Amino acid sequence: MILRLAIGSLLARALTVGMTVLAIALSVALFLGVEKVRTGARASFADTISGTDLIVGARSGSVQLLLYSVFRIGNATNNVTWESYQDIATRPEVDWIVPISLGDSHRQFRVMGTTPEFFDRYKYRGGRALTFAAGHSLGDLYDTVIGADVADTLGYAVGDPIVVSHGLASFTAHSDQPFRVAGIVAKTGTPVDRTVIVSLEAIEAIHVDWQSGAQIPGKTTPVDVIRTMDLTPTAISAALVGVKSRLQVFKLQRWINEYPEEPLLAVLPGVALQELWQIVGIAEKALIGVSAMVVVTALLGMMAMILSSLGERRREMAVWRAMGARPATILSLLVLEAALMAAAGAVLGVALLYAGLALARPWVDATFGIWLPIEPPDVRELWVLAGVIAAAALASLVPAIRAYRMSLADGMMVRI
Amino acid sequence: MTEVRFRWPGRASFAIDVPAFRLEQGESVLLLGESGSGKSTLLSLTCGIVAAQAGRIMVAGTDIASLRTGARDRFRAEQIGVIFQQFNLLPYARVLDNILLPLRFAPVRRARAGDGHAEAEKLCESLGLPARVLSSAAGRLSVGQQQRVAVARALIGRPPLIVADEPTSALDAATQDSFLHLLFAQVREAGSSLLMVSHDERLGSRFDRVIHLESVVNTQGADA
């Protein structure tokens, strides 16, 4: 009966209560949304690479190496010579090695030179292999395989021509050596979706007439001639390495890091990712802190709403008291009302969150490559919701204690 | 009441003193007094909402002045039915919930009422309210209907004492008369005592006794 009366009391003030519930709902949706994006981003990053034991590049920072080699974020400060690459490839610990050459682009997408082995060795989301939605792997020198987002965004199909631009923000195109789309990789939710993949030799081929980052004036080697040339690269940006036994990873890593011929860096992807989380952890905490403050603000708004309604509810409190309700009953009635508002806000917030996720997911995926999972609230999120309701009950103690005191002081004959 | 003395906490300017006041079982008494004369304070003391600093207040054989706060609240729910001047009901609650509200805090009275729903229906019928109003929101009723629902709520479970604070002041003359007729009939049937405060002397003819407040209460300052 008390619960029914509390609900009735809230419904009688539908507008103010509705606004309060909406404020709580939006704050809950924001708080859980930040958490979803945070965990979604972490999961997407963690899912991007699996099965690779070491990433090797020129000596820089481990996070930088991870970012440019796997996530196509930032650039390599230096290259790895082909000789060094071959020295690593011939180490007895190495099971497989895939070179990566970055630096050029097509429209807003990065171009990556590699070997066809990349399509067999690159694994994501717990060991899944790349598959082709259309076409096939690299065959001809001027074949290219594009990611799903490249195909979707630019409307490319197998057989379409592609001209690669020199560098990342350049107006100079390698238009004399156009590529042909040979295959489209099925959607992975990784940076591969936003990558134009060509062969390592093709990267050499399009730079035949280039020196020090600029085209040699007046020199245009015919494609037929280029096809006959030795296109072994002189340098690569990085390499993905798989070892025969996990026990050998650290031995190989130490050998590469101490490689005397040139300064190299070998990192374990998981360790580099952890370093990355440590860096972004502060920003994450700040974001969580801000969204938590929004929840606190909404709860303070609720407290203010209850406080301001006490004046006009003194007569109601007097009726309760006259019927035999103890001041503690009045206190618990107000706490119950607050908990009900918070519970309604929490449920509405979760509904808003899922509606928002459903609407934003395709855009977030396409724009940031972050896959936001739409799953039932987990135990942690349920604890958050319970925490919001408990915090609301706690916040309502301020007006509830005031009502308690008023009901003691007013007696039962309130004159308003 | 015997040698009762009360001063509102934090309002040192107002105090009342009741040397002796008695209401017999089944008796109806009209207390007449002007605004600020201490009527509300006297009713709050009678109902045990506030505790006297000195003296004895015996209701149905129990000295409520000696009870602790929780026990006084429980005693009030069990033994006293209250009718307010106006804004008597919880407007958002159903009429039935309003009538049954005191039983929520009074197990003995609840047991005495038996089937609360049937009892509420019977009381409404006796007070001229159709059974269908039980499921209506109290705030949707006319003022006259609301006052009759308030009577039903005060009488449910037949408490020995009914306290009424100017229950007719919001009613027009014709409605006042029929309301008092119904109230007295129901109070008699329940065998309850009736203590009503008012400033309207014309109501006096219906009561067993009419008492001017100043003859039983000594006040100091003015009540709020």
Side-chain angles (χ1 to χ4, degrees), chain A residues 48-111:
Chain A
T48 295
I49 189 160
S50 68
T52 296
D53 295 310
L54 286 173
I55 302 169
V56 181
R59 192 167 295 167
S60 56
S62 53
V63 172
Q64 188 191 5
L65 173 58
L66 176 81
L67 288 177
Y68 74 71
S69 64
V70 177
F71 297 103
R72 321 272 185 269
I73 298 171
N75 296 305
T77 48
N78 214 340
N79 284 334
V80 178
T81 62
W82 187 246
E83 289 74 24
S84 299
Y85 167 78
Q86 285 188 312
D87 281 351
I88 297 167
T90 52
R91 288 287 302 171
E93 300 92 344
V94 174
D95 182 30
W96 56 267
I97 183 162
V98 173
I100 288 171
S101 185
L102 299 160
D104 288 339
S105 61
H106 173 70
R107 312 280 281 269
Q108 68 268 46
F109 299 103
R110 296 276 184 116
V111 172

Side-chain angles (χ1 to χ4, degrees), chain B residues 66-203:
Chain B
S66 67
L67 297 176
R68 295 170 74 92
T69 312
R72 272 207 318 273
D73 291 328
R74 168 89 178 271
F75 182 85
R76 179 170 61 257
E78 294 283 10
Q79 307 289 345
I80 304 171
V82 181
I83 306 167
F84 285 108
Q85 184 179 3
Q86 53 184 330
F87 310 114
N88 235 325
L89 308 174
L90 302 176
Y92 48 79
R94 293 184 306 166
V95 166
L96 180 65
D97 287 334
N98 268 286
I99 295 174
L100 297 181
L101 187 60
L103 302 187
R104 170 71 181 71
F105 308 105
V108 176
R109 190 170 163 185
R110 187 161 62 233
R112 217 163 40 218
D115 180 351
H117 191 289
E119 180 74 6
E121 211 167 303
K122 196 175 130 200
L123 279 165
C124 280
E125 195 187 335
S126 310
L127 290 160
L129 289 165
R132 63 183 154 76
V133 301
L134 284 173
S135 54
S136 306
R140 292 200 184 142
L141 304 184
S142 68
V143 176
Q145 284 179 317
Q146 286 191 33
Q147 285 301 60
R148 278 185 270 174
V149 173
V151 172
R153 185 182 60 191
L155 287 167
I156 196 160
R158 294 186 297 284
L161 175 63
I162 303 294
V163 168
D165 179 23
E166 304 204 47
T168 56
S169 64
L171 305 177
D172 58 52
T175 319
Q176 252 185 24
D177 201 49
S178 70
F179 170 76
L180 285 174
H181 178 75
L182 287 168
L183 173 65
F184 271 82
Q186 291 303 311
V187 167
R188 255 195 309 274
E189 196 182 320
S192 307
S193 307
L194 174 64
L195 176 63
M196 185 188 289
V197 296
S198 178
H199 60 271
D200 189 351
E201 293 192 24
R202 289 170 303 171
L203 305 177

Side-chain angles (χ1 to χ4, degrees), chain A residues 172-191:
Chain A
T172 320
H174 298 286
S175 48
D176 53 331
Q177 296 178 63
F179 286 80
R180 187 190 67 90
V181 176
I184 298 169
V185 178
K187 180 88 179 168
T188 62
T190 72

